[in-house]
């Protein structure tokens, strides 16, 4: 789908008030399309894609998106300023609202490529990348980082990184409020084991009152996200937003003072059906989409039956929209049975 001129749209930094984190293998275009049905205003991010993949890979597959996803940001990984600049230019031409540079991922893959969290040790190189991207695009260039890595002192490391990238022109910072341990912990362990230090992010905001700063890491509810806004400009939810997507249905009213798009999850799924039907008509599989919907009815009667139906029937190559409808009916019928008993 063709994209509008990104320079003609206002900068989306106000959307940072609430965003859904970029997550590998999760926040693909089908996930983002689903999340956009639940919230008109949440800022959505792609999975991290390397600069070289954007330049040399299948762009439709890697960075394709639909017009309905706005506001949507692309997250790049890389350390070569020239490659980052070229990739950012390509993404801006595609119509993304923001380019974000990943300085937080601790995986072996990014360490081997000398990007992600290991760049916390090299603020000057990160700054060079930001400056190169800023020279190429009119849309905001932001940085997502940790508070430090390994034995770094977070008080020094975060300030050094922030000062360097802001001097290079970065428009905003998103800070995952825990260290990354590149030696001794797996990427999965890095999401939980290093202790959270929200206070460190708050202190960064106090020192840089005019810089948009968002916080990420361990935020499980909208109420927790709202509490952080007393100290920073934005909150980013990751696994909670993905695993319990129904909470996104209250984002617009709670964070932006606007009407929520749907009265309930049943209505939201109905509104999402045209996207699902279009995906199937173009040769896509139902599971491509429904794997992102498994947590929708978490905690409600029939939720287990909903997941089971999608896990068994939704993965079949011939699965059609009626499978999704049948799964939703499991919840509807369970709620009706409960209401009759009550």
């Amino acid at each position: 789908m063709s994209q509008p001129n990104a320079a003609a749209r206002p900068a989306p930094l106000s959307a940072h008030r609430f965003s859904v984190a970029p997550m590998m293998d999760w926040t693909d275009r089908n996930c983002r399309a689903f999340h956009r049905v639940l919230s008109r205003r949440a800022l959505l991010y792609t999975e991290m894609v390397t600069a070289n993949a954007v330049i040399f890979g299948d762009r439709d597959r890697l960075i394709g998106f639909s017009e309905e996803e706005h506001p949507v940001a692309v997250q790049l990984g890389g350390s070569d300023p020239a490659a980052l600049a070229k990739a950012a230019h390509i993404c801006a031409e595609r119509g993304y609202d923001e380019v974000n540079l990943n300085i937080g991922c601790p995986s072996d893959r990014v360490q081997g490529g000398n990007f992600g969290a290991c760049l916390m040790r090299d603020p000057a190189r990160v700054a060079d990348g930001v400056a190169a991207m800023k020279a190429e695009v009119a849309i905001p260039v932001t940085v997502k980082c940790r508070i430090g890595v390994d034995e770094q002192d977070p008080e020094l490391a975060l300030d050094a990184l922030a000062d360097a990238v802001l001097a290079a022109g970065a428009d905003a910072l998103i800070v995952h409020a825990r260290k990354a341990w590149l030696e001794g912990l797996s990427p999965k362990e890095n999401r939980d084991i290093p202790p959270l230090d929200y206070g460190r992010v708050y202190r960064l905001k106090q020192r840089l009152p005019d810089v948009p700063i968002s916080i990420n890491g361990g935020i499980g509810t909208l109420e927790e996200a709202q509490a952080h806004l007393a100290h920073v400009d934005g909150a980013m939810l990751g696994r909670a937003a993905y695993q319990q997507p129904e909470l996104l249905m209250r984002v617009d009213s709670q964070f932006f003072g606007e009407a929520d798009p749907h009265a309930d999850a049943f209505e939201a799924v109905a509104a999402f059906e045209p996207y699902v039907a279009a995906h199937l008509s173009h040769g896509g599989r139902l599971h491509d989409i429904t794997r992102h919907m498994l947590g929708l009815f978490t905690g409600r009667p029939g939720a287990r039956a909903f997941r089971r139906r999608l896990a068994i029937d939704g993965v079949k190559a011939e699965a059609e929209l009626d499978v999704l409808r049948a799964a939703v009916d499991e919840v509807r019928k369970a709620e009706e049975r409960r209401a009759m008993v009550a």
Side-chain angles (χ1 to χ4, degrees), residues 147 154-155 158-159 175-179 195-208 213-217 219 227-228 230-232:
I147 61 174
E155 297 298 329
L158 183 56
D159 280 354
V175 185
H176 186 149
R178 68 172 102 233
K179 274 188 175 184
L196 287 160
D197 187 354
Y198 294 135
R200 178 64 192 94
V201 186
Y202 298 166
R203 292 192 294 278
L204 180 70
K205 177 60 186 177
Q206 291 168 358
R207 191 173 72 85
L208 301 169
I213 293 174
S214 295
I215 197 165
N216 171 231
I219 305 173
H228 284 297
H231 307 279
V232 292

Side-chain angles (χ1 to χ4, degrees), residues 28-236:
D28 63 17
R29 65 185 303 173
N30 294 318
C31 174
R32 298 192 306 270
F34 174 50
H35 286 178
R36 180 54 69 221
V37 168
L38 304 178
S39 168
R40 298 187 185 97
R41 291 297 305 273
L43 176 61
L44 306 178
Y45 283 82
T46 69
E47 304 168 88
M48 182 186 69
V49 57
T50 66
N52 283 338
V54 172
I55 296 168
F56 300 111
D58 182 343
R59 293 174 189 167
D60 286 339
R61 179 177 65 84
L62 292 168
I63 58 170
F65 71 100
S66 60
E67 177 66 18
E68 290 75 18
E69 291 178 41
H70 292 294
V72 58
V74 60
Q75 185 181 68
L76 296 179
S79 60
D80 177 66
L84 286 169
K86 187 170 184 179
H89 181 83
I90 292 167
C91 292
E93 284 195 326
R94 284 247 164 178
Y96 278 97
D97 296 296
E98 171 187 321
V99 176
N100 176 263
L101 182 59
N102 182 313
I103 312 297
C105 180
S107 74
D108 293 338
R109 176 186 171 212
V110 301
Q111 291 183 59
N114 192 35
F115 60 99
C118 61
L119 286 175
M120 290 292 301
R121 300 190 185 110
D122 196 352
R125 189 169 187 82
V126 181
D128 288 344
V130 169
M133 290 190 288
K134 286 292 293 183
E136 283 292 324
V137 302
I139 60 176
V141 174
T142 64
V143 173
K144 187 173 188 293
C145 63
R146 296 280 186 135
I147 61 174
V149 296
D150 295 338
E151 299 299 337
Q152 283 185 327
D153 179 349
E155 297 298 329
L156 302 176
L158 183 56
D159 280 354
L161 189 283
D163 291 347
V165 301
L166 292 171
D171 295 286
L173 298 172
I174 303 103
V175 185
H176 186 149
R178 68 172 102 233
K179 274 188 175 184
W181 283 95
L182 305 181
E183 299 178 5
L185 291 181
S186 69
K188 183 176 185 294
E189 290 170 330
N190 262 293
R191 294 195 295 265
D192 296 300
I193 293 178
L196 287 160
D197 187 354
Y198 294 135
R200 178 64 192 94
V201 186
Y202 298 166
R203 292 192 294 278
L204 180 70
K205 177 60 186 177
Q206 291 168 358
R207 191 173 72 85
L208 301 169
D210 298 326
V211 176
I213 293 174
S214 295
I215 197 165
N216 171 231
I219 305 173
T221 67
L222 296 191
E223 289 68 32
E224 291 174 22
Q226 190 78 52
H228 284 297
L229 296 184
H231 307 279
V232 292
D233 304 289
M236 173 182 278

Side-chain angles (χ1 to χ4, degrees), residues 336-342:
E336 289 173 354
R337 289 193 297 268
R338 173 173 286 189
M340 291 177 62
V341 172

